[in-house]
Amino acid sequence: MHIRTATPADAAALAAVEAACFPPAEAATAAEIADRLAHYAGHFWLLEEDDGTVVSFVDGMVTDEPRLRDEMYENAALHNEDGAWQMIFGVNTLPSYRRHGCAGQVLERVIADAKAQGRKGCVLTCKDRLVHYYEKFGFVNEGVSQSTHGGVVWYDMRLSFS
């Protein structure tokens, strides 16, 4: 398996993985993924099999804003390539590939790339049951998020590089 960044041609494969990983109220639609790819394909990291099958991916825009807002999911034009913070919208792994280190491998690449790009750090939101998982990568729980995305409770998590 190898990691690469996305191209607009990956939209259908990414939408399929997204749909397999999140309930409909939380998943990005195929149209939203295509729009994100048009604005920041270089901020989609894909783990794929040698045959090209995408098994895991992480995506998110870059911004100067320190918190992930729900509007960011819906408006890819808010991406600022020179922004300070790498937002992480989704950490997706096909169910049959879970618990094999796939997501961790991609997250480590995202973190390394964000550091190399001079970002202040990475920001994501997650459900309570995943707080401990992200803490293993150095993310700090900043408490309950203001996000109401998908109608569930999220926690703000931040990994600062300084």
Side-chain angles (χ1 to χ4, degrees):
M1 287 195 269
H2 61 276
I3 298 173
R4 67 172 175 86
T5 55
T7 70
D10 294 308
L14 296 174
V17 174
E18 179 92 0
C21 294
F22 288 100
E26 298 170 29
T29 66
E32 288 170 330
I33 289 174
D35 189 40
R36 291 175 187 179
L37 286 167
H39 285 86
Y40 50 88
H43 294 274
F44 276 76
W45 291 264
L46 287 57
L47 178 66
E48 60 184 9
E49 293 277 13
D50 290 336
D51 68 2
T53 302
V54 176
V55 300
S56 184
F57 78 91
V58 173
D59 74 295
M61 70 170 48
V62 177
T63 180
D64 279 330
E65 295 184 42
R67 297 240 181 260
L68 198 160
R69 296 183 294 119
D70 287 347
E71 183 185 5
M72 293 175 182
Y73 293 114
E74 302 155 12
N75 187 353
L78 293 173
H79 172 72
N80 171 7
E81 186 60 36
D82 298 321
W85 295 98
Q86 174 66 60
M87 297 291 142
I88 296 175
F89 291 167
V91 177
N92 304 266
T93 301
L94 289 174
S96 61
Y97 285 84
R98 291 182 185 159
R99 302 199 180 276
H100 298 288
C102 294
Q105 194 177 345
V106 182
L107 270 173
E108 287 173 359
R109 173 69 176 273
V110 171
I111 291 165
D113 285 358
K115 280 182 182 176
Q117 294 164 358
R119 311 282 179 218
K120 288 183 178 179
C122 299
V123 176
L124 60 83
T125 61
C126 70
K127 295 174 183 168
D128 182 51
R129 65 182 169 79
L130 292 171
V131 167
H132 73 281
Y133 176 76
Y134 293 109
E135 286 176 339
K136 290 190 244 180
F137 294 91
F139 284 85
V140 174
N141 182 356
E142 295 182 335
V144 175
S145 175
Q146 292 183 3
S147 174
T148 59
H149 181 72
V152 298
V153 175
W154 300 95
Y155 288 80
D156 287 325
M157 303 291 291
R158 179 179 312 277
L159 173 60
S160 296
F161 298 150
S162 54

